Amino acid sequence: VSERKRAGILCVGTELTEGIIRDGHVGFLGSHLTSMGLTVSRAVFVPDDPRLLHSTFAEETARSDIVIIAGGLGPTSDDLTREIAAEVAGEPLVFHDDEWLLLQKRFAGRKLSETNRKQAMAPRGFSLIRNPNGTAPGFHGMIGETLVIALPGPPHELQPMFLQSVIPLLEAFAGSSVSLEVLWGTALMVAESNLEEAFQRIRIAGLSWGTRVEEDRIVFSVRGGGAADRETFMKICADSLGALRIRRGDVKPAKLLMDALLSRETTLVSAESCTGGLVGKWLTDIPGSSRAYWGGYITYSNPAKEHALGVDARLISDHGAVSGEVVTAMAQGALEKSGADVSVAISGIAGPDGGTPEKPVGTVWIAVCGLHMQSTARVFSFPGGRDMVRRRAAVTAMLLAEARIRGEEFLDTFAKW
Ligand code: ATP
């Protein structure tokens, strides 16, 4: 078994160290590198300061087998990555005519400034990495025994370049110590720490995993071993966390709900209180969703629940807006007023205020009603701040609706998330 190769990540930019922008690379790169079987030994943020960048980059190339440096490839004078890489490599920067021609062709009609010429340069002996989504190509080459890979800063440029061009480079460099065969999965309604614990309990030699936390799900990849080992990993995971929570592939909850609706030619209406339209937002992120999504009501105040959905004011005063009675009346009202086939309603206390001992912050009622189904109302208790409670409520509502549309049971354990 070959030894695991060590990778270092350098993110360049004063915007990052000053907290003007939030890093989006370490999570992405770290999870991919780890799931390929590489060890990420550290990730460092460096401002646009030539001396600091030089010393950090030189140190990282000396201690790691692979260095990925992100950012600082733009045309302006504070973009230093190219120059520093050349200095540390001890090579001059050379101009790549073919890349310059390609850039000019792609930007036909628009003006490329002379400073953009800088972007067609790389240290001698290095190769360029094409950037389909921007002007700055990346580059890769060896400094001593270390593979150096430079990528542009914007995530929508870096990520496709990594997936298309860098993964094959890493495989060629690290050989049998990295694994490209991968099984992708999505974990829903699971906290990151619980997922990690579940993964750690599965002991199958040779497998490694990586996770990427998104606002509505956790995407994971399992690498190494044989195909059968990866399938077994997936099965054990689904057995321990529940088949509703562990899905194959990278799938958004809104897409799962949309697929359930489309496959049954069913239409959905939403009635949202504490989530303020998040379910509608996620559903309408999907192009063509009007085929199955009727639309929704954002009934945040009590009068809105009464006037838009016909919820009885007495029901609200007797039980409170966050109750099984009211959330069911919201779902029934939305169903009747819209004429859709299925409705989902959400009413909860997202915080930070409004909690009581009986109904603390995080208490959320969700109801699903339908013309041909028994209505369901369930109460959940979500941890976290306002934003997290709202996201968890919206995800859970979509998955509760999906399960009911598919005629599946939604297990009690799901209340704890
Ligand atoms: P460009 O050619 O677009 O200037 P670049 O390689 O020079 O690319 P930077 O100038 O360092 O990249 O950063 C450009 C933009 O990319 C930043 O303003 C920021 O929006 C985004 N960006 C850079 N680094 C990160 C990071 N670590 N996480 C998220 N976004 C980043």
Side-chain angles (χ1 to χ4, degrees):
V1 182
S2 48
E3 213 176 292
R4 284 166 79 99
K5 298 244 187 267
R6 288 153 52 93
I9 301 171
L10 293 188
C11 294
V12 187
T14 305
E15 283 170 305
L16 288 162
T17 54
E18 289 185 350
I20 295 166
I21 60 166
R22 204 182 280 232
D23 171 59
H25 296 334
V26 175
F28 173 83
L29 294 172
S31 70
H32 278 283
L33 294 169
T34 306
S35 71
M36 290 178 71
L38 298 163
T39 300
V40 178
S41 50
R42 66 175 178 178
V44 185
F45 295 99
V46 198
D48 302 309
D49 172 310
R51 283 180 50 199
L52 264 177
L53 187 56
H54 185 113
S55 60
T56 315
F57 184 69
E59 189 193 337
E60 202 55 45
T61 12
R63 68 194 286 279
S64 296
D65 302 304
I66 297 157
V67 177
I68 297 190
I69 179 161
L73 291 180
T76 57
S77 59
D78 61 359
D79 288 307
L80 301 162
T81 299
R82 214 172 266 104
E83 285 77 4
I84 302 291
E87 277 174 35
V88 175
E91 297 286 352
L93 280 172
V94 294
F95 186 72
H96 291 248
D97 294 296
D98 47 344
E99 179 67 26
W100 180 238
L101 286 175
L102 202 81
L103 276 179
Q104 284 176 318
K105 211 152 96 196
R106 273 193 33 215
F107 282 75
R110 267 180 290 164
K111 204 168 151 37
L112 267 178
S113 71
E114 269 309 292
T115 52
N116 281 114
R117 282 177 67 86
K118 194 175 132 178
Q119 296 188 300
M121 300 182 91
R124 188 168 65 192
F126 279 55
S127 308
L128 294 178
I129 303 173
R130 205 132 277 168
N131 178 353
N133 299 313
T135 54
F139 55 81
H140 67 94
M142 299 299 296
I143 297 183
E145 305 273 284
T146 302
L147 172 65
V148 171
I149 295 165
L151 296 170
H156 75 281
E157 298 180 24
L158 176 141
Q159 294 186 6
M161 289 169 78
F162 182 87
L163 297 174
Q164 281 157 32
S165 308
V166 176
I167 288 183
L169 279 174
L170 293 172
E171 189 197 29
F173 176 70
S176 61
S177 68
V178 303
S179 165
L180 284 189
E181 285 190 47
V182 57
L183 193 148
W184 290 95
T186 301
L188 303 163
M189 299 188 296
V190 189
E192 201 184 356
S193 53
N194 295 344
L195 183 66
E196 191 61 33
E197 282 166 23
F199 284 169
Q200 277 172 10
R201 281 196 301 269
I202 308 173
R203 299 189 178 276
I204 302 178
L207 291 192
S208 61
W209 62 83
T211 56
R212 189 178 84 233
V213 179
E214 299 281 347
E215 57 180 1
D216 56 351
R217 69 201 188 282
I218 303 177
V219 182
F220 61 89
S221 57
V222 186
R223 290 178 201 260
D229 296 326
R230 295 191 291 272
E231 291 297 336
T232 307
F233 183 99
M234 193 81 171
K235 174 152 192 332
I236 297 174
C237 197
D239 287 346
S240 77
L241 292 169
L244 288 174
R245 280 175 163 157
I246 298 295
R247 314 286 181 112
R248 301 185 75 86
D250 175 357
V251 282
K252 295 180 185 205
K255 180 75 171 53
L256 291 168
L257 172 55
M258 188 53 66
D259 288 348
L261 289 164
L262 288 172
S263 68
R264 282 161 183 74
E265 294 182 16
T266 299
T267 56
L268 178 87
V269 57
S270 55
E272 301 185 61
S273 184
C274 66
T275 48
L278 193 50
V279 166
K281 194 266 174 204
W282 277 336
L283 284 171
T284 56
D285 280 342
I286 303 170
S289 47
S290 64
R291 281 186 294 152
Y293 181 53
W294 180 88
Y297 299 86
I298 302 175
T299 50
Y300 198 63
S301 67
N302 292 344
K305 293 177 184 70
E306 292 161 25
H307 295 147
L309 300 172
V311 177
D312 189 339
R314 267 175 316 177
L315 210 57
I316 300 179
S317 57
D318 288 353
H319 301 280
V322 180
S323 61
E325 289 81 358
V326 168
V327 82
T328 302
M330 286 168 66
Q332 275 162 353
L335 202 63
E336 281 158 25
K337 303 236 175 222
S338 67
D341 304 319
V342 179
S343 64
V344 59
I346 306 169
S347 182
I349 303 156
D353 308 317
T356 62
E358 302 79 55
K359 292 179 189 172
V361 168
T363 305
V364 178
W365 275 92
I366 299 173
V368 176
C369 290
L371 296 178
H372 311 292
M373 69 167 69
Q374 216 185 332
S375 72
T376 311
R378 299 282 304 275
V379 66
F380 297 86
S381 168
F382 299 117
R386 184 174 176 83
D387 181 50
M388 194 181 271
V389 169
R390 282 153 55 103
R391 281 187 286 122
R392 288 180 167 185
V395 167
T396 306
M398 291 191 292
L399 294 169
L400 180 60
E402 186 222 14
R404 298 299 297 131
I405 291 163
R406 291 194 183 285
E408 286 163 14
E409 273 313 308
F410 199 80
L411 302 172
D412 268 310
T413 53
F414 284 84
K416 298 254 182 301
W417 175 43

